[in-house]
Amino acid sequence: MSTRLPSYLNAAEPGPWAMFLQQLDRVEPHLGELARWTDTLRRPKRTLVVDVPVRMDDGRIEHFEGFRAQHNLSRGPGKGGVRFHPAVNLSEVMALSGWMTVKNAAVNLPYGGAKGGVRVDPGQLSRGELERLTRRYTSELGDFIGAERDIPAPDVGTNDQVMAWMMDTYSVNHGTMQPGVVTGKPVSMGGSLGRRDATGRGCFVVAREAMRRLGLPLAGARVAVQGFGNVGNATARAFHDEGARLIAVQDVHGTVFNDAGIDPHALLAHLKAGGSWSDFPGASLIPDDQFWGLDCDVLVPAALEGQITPEVAAQVRARIVVEGANGPTTPEAEDILHDKGCTVLPDVLANAGGVTVSYFEWVQNATSFFWTEQDIHAKLDRVLSEAFDSIWRSAHDKGVNLRTATFITACSRVLEARAMRGLYP
Ligand code: NAD
């Protein structure tokens, strides 16, 4: 494995990129003639590392590491989020960009895969510091990004306000309004209706389709969600609103549980009003380490990667794991879940709802013609249901799990484009 690592990663600690390489190893035997191009996917096409100096409120100048990786551009411009988190590093950004290549091709969007991030804890910054950091990072990316080159979007630690600053900075530097340079913008400046909840809604759609095929009723299904940010809380609300029972929610502040069901709207309102996890009247606080072993039908990791390790997988009792987060299950843990009869709905399919509506936003920006929220919901449902159906059938035909089936579909599309375009010169 380490011989395949580029020299600029640390072989002793290869990080999430090593997990992406392992997943590619599993798909390669299924690629037939196209396998000769697989090494294309084992190295990102381009990576950029930038210094982001920021004037802090107290007058000091602090320097932050910024990254953008374009993993593959064979099928279109790069597309993928921007993460502001203290653990961001090159390996993580590369892995996330690789998963974006797979995700975009799996649902057949005309994009390659990209990802970016800044190694920073945004919670420690004032609003002014966050704005200066975002603007300087965007400026340092320069023409690496662009509506026809590489289009960032929100991810962990970034939101529509950050996208608004990115778009404004890029537009000012180019002298014209460039709404298509980022997606996940506020609706008032070219964002799409339905984008904010799209990833969570997509998780729900993919889970609903899987439950239908597994004969698991949605009404009353017991659901546990890790992460109550953008993805986690929208997923929790979608399940709740469609009649499932949300029994537990965990985030960085704690884990709440109620066997009779938690109302995610009430939890959100409680937190927005300044309430804490421990004083939420609709559930009780339980120890964090009890979360993974809870008796539930559907488990949704929607926080960070590497959460379901082999030790955690051994405790899981759910019938379905829906990967709202990117890379939450290690390959060894996935094998354990599989042996237990637990179906894992892989990130590259389950959380593709966000980028799908980002694609709708980009199309609307290019045409300056905006769709209704109902239109967006219906189109999202159709794109994900159809992708799920063909991947589900392929998994059964080929006797592989859903992740490998998704990788086969996606990598075949990417490598076919690669082979048809040919190598220059
Ligand atoms: P977010 O910052 O809005 O929320 C993250 C949540 O995770 C928060 O509730 C936080 O408390 C929780 N969390 C962080 N560390 C935790 C820990 N150690 N234990 C328990 N909870 C923890 O981020 P998000 O946008 O919801 O993204 C979550 C995941 O979904 C990421 O893996 C991201 O890459 C992925 N994702 C996001 C989108 C999107 O549209 N936002 C799209 C696809 C995939």
Side-chain angles (χ1 to χ4, degrees):
M1 164 76 63
S2 60
T3 55
R4 284 182 170 159
L5 278 182
S7 63
Y8 49 85
L9 289 191
N10 176 0
E13 278 179 56
W17 179 251
M19 187 165 141
F20 178 68
L21 291 183
Q22 251 177 302
Q23 293 168 342
L24 287 179
D25 288 345
R26 289 183 176 204
V27 72
E28 188 166 15
H30 300 278
L31 293 177
E33 287 280 295
L34 292 171
R36 68 185 286 255
W37 292 98
T38 321
D39 274 354
T40 303
L41 303 173
R42 290 199 172 97
R43 54 208 78 215
K45 181 175 175 62
R46 293 187 192 113
T47 56
L48 182 67
V49 181
V50 295
D51 173 40
V52 185
V54 178
R55 186 175 298 103
M56 308 304 278
D57 292 346
D58 62 6
R60 282 177 307 113
I61 311 289
E62 269 204 46
H63 292 256
F64 299 90
E65 289 173 14
F67 304 91
R68 186 78 189 167
Q70 293 169 357
H71 175 257
N72 188 280
L73 305 177
S74 293
R75 304 181 76 244
K79 184 89 191 82
V82 173
R83 180 173 289 196
F84 287 175
H85 190 275
V88 162
N89 59 37
L90 184 56
S91 171
E92 181 182 74
V93 171
M94 283 167 55
L96 290 164
S97 72
W99 287 321
M100 287 310 299
T101 297
V102 174
K103 191 179 304 181
N104 291 331
V107 291
N108 219 356
L109 304 180
Y111 289 135
K115 200 82 179 191
V118 179
R119 193 173 171 87
V120 60
D121 181 352
Q124 299 298 314
L125 303 184
S126 69
R127 186 180 161 87
E129 289 166 343
L130 184 63
E131 178 174 353
R132 293 194 289 278
L133 174 109
T134 302
R135 288 188 183 280
R136 184 61 190 246
Y137 169 66
T138 309
S139 212
E140 291 298 334
L141 294 183
D143 278 335
F144 203 69
I145 57 172
E148 287 168 356
R149 292 186 180 167
D150 178 2
I151 306 127
D155 189 70
V156 175
T158 56
N159 55 19
D160 57 353
Q161 174 63 78
V162 171
M163 292 306 115
W165 288 327
M166 286 191 77
M167 192 214 82
D168 184 69
T169 305
Y170 185 88
S171 297
V172 168
N173 286 346
H174 284 78
T176 52
M177 168 109 166
Q178 299 276 335
V181 67
V182 291
T183 58
K185 298 180 292 294
V187 172
S188 60
M189 46 175 285
S192 177
L193 294 169
R195 172 62 184 89
R196 214 187 44 204
D197 285 353
T199 307
R201 210 179 167 86
C203 287
F204 167 76
V205 168
V206 172
R208 180 196 69 202
E209 295 301 305
M211 291 170 83
R212 194 177 283 159
R213 285 163 182 82
L214 292 168
L216 269 177
L218 184 57
R222 295 164 64 84
V223 180
V225 179
Q226 185 201 37
F228 204 57
N230 177 292
V231 181
N233 101 53
T235 309
R237 282 184 280 118
F239 271 104
H240 171 85
D241 295 349
E242 297 290 336
R245 193 186 331 168
L246 179 69
I247 59 153
V249 183
Q250 176 177 83
D251 98 336
V252 79
H253 301 104
T255 307
V256 289
F257 173 79
N258 184 347
D259 201 49
I262 297 168
D263 178 349
H265 301 279
L267 177 57
L268 198 58
H270 171 79
L271 296 172
K272 271 192 179 150
S276 74
W277 286 74
S278 53
D279 62 15
F280 175 57
S284 28
L285 211 56
I286 60 168
D288 287 342
D289 57 6
Q290 286 181 14
F291 176 78
W292 299 108
L294 289 172
D295 177 17
C296 61
D297 301 301
V298 180
L299 182 61
V300 188
L304 293 176
E305 59 261 14
Q307 294 295 298
I308 306 188
T309 57
E311 299 72 46
V312 168
Q315 301 166 38
V316 168
R317 292 156 77 187
R319 287 287 313 281
I320 298 183
V321 168
V322 188
E323 293 188 335
N326 284 309
T329 314
T330 68
E332 298 77 15
E334 182 164 19
D335 291 342
I336 295 171
L337 294 173
H338 183 261
D339 292 346
K340 285 176 148 186
C342 172
T343 301
V344 178
L345 306 181
D347 47 10
V348 280
L349 178 61
N351 70 31
V355 71
T356 302
V357 176
S358 273
Y359 164 61
F360 298 160
E361 181 174 329
W362 182 73
V363 170
Q364 292 171 86
N365 289 154
T367 56
S368 297
F369 181 77
F370 288 85
W371 310 340
T372 66
E373 192 156 15
Q374 278 144 312
D375 259 351
I376 303 277
H377 289 335
K379 286 183 166 76
L380 173 65
D381 205 305
R382 185 177 52 76
V383 168
L384 290 183
S385 304
E386 286 178 5
F388 179 85
D389 183 58
S390 96
I391 287 166
W392 179 268
R393 280 189 282 112
S394 155
H396 281 261
D397 292 349
K398 296 186 167 69
V400 297
N401 67 25
L402 289 168
R403 187 182 320 275
T404 302
T406 309
F407 267 68
I408 294 172
T409 299
C411 295
S412 300
R413 283 182 180 146
V414 173
L415 297 182
E416 195 179 314
R418 185 78 197 79
M420 293 300 286
R421 287 179 65 161
L423 202 57
Y424 173 85

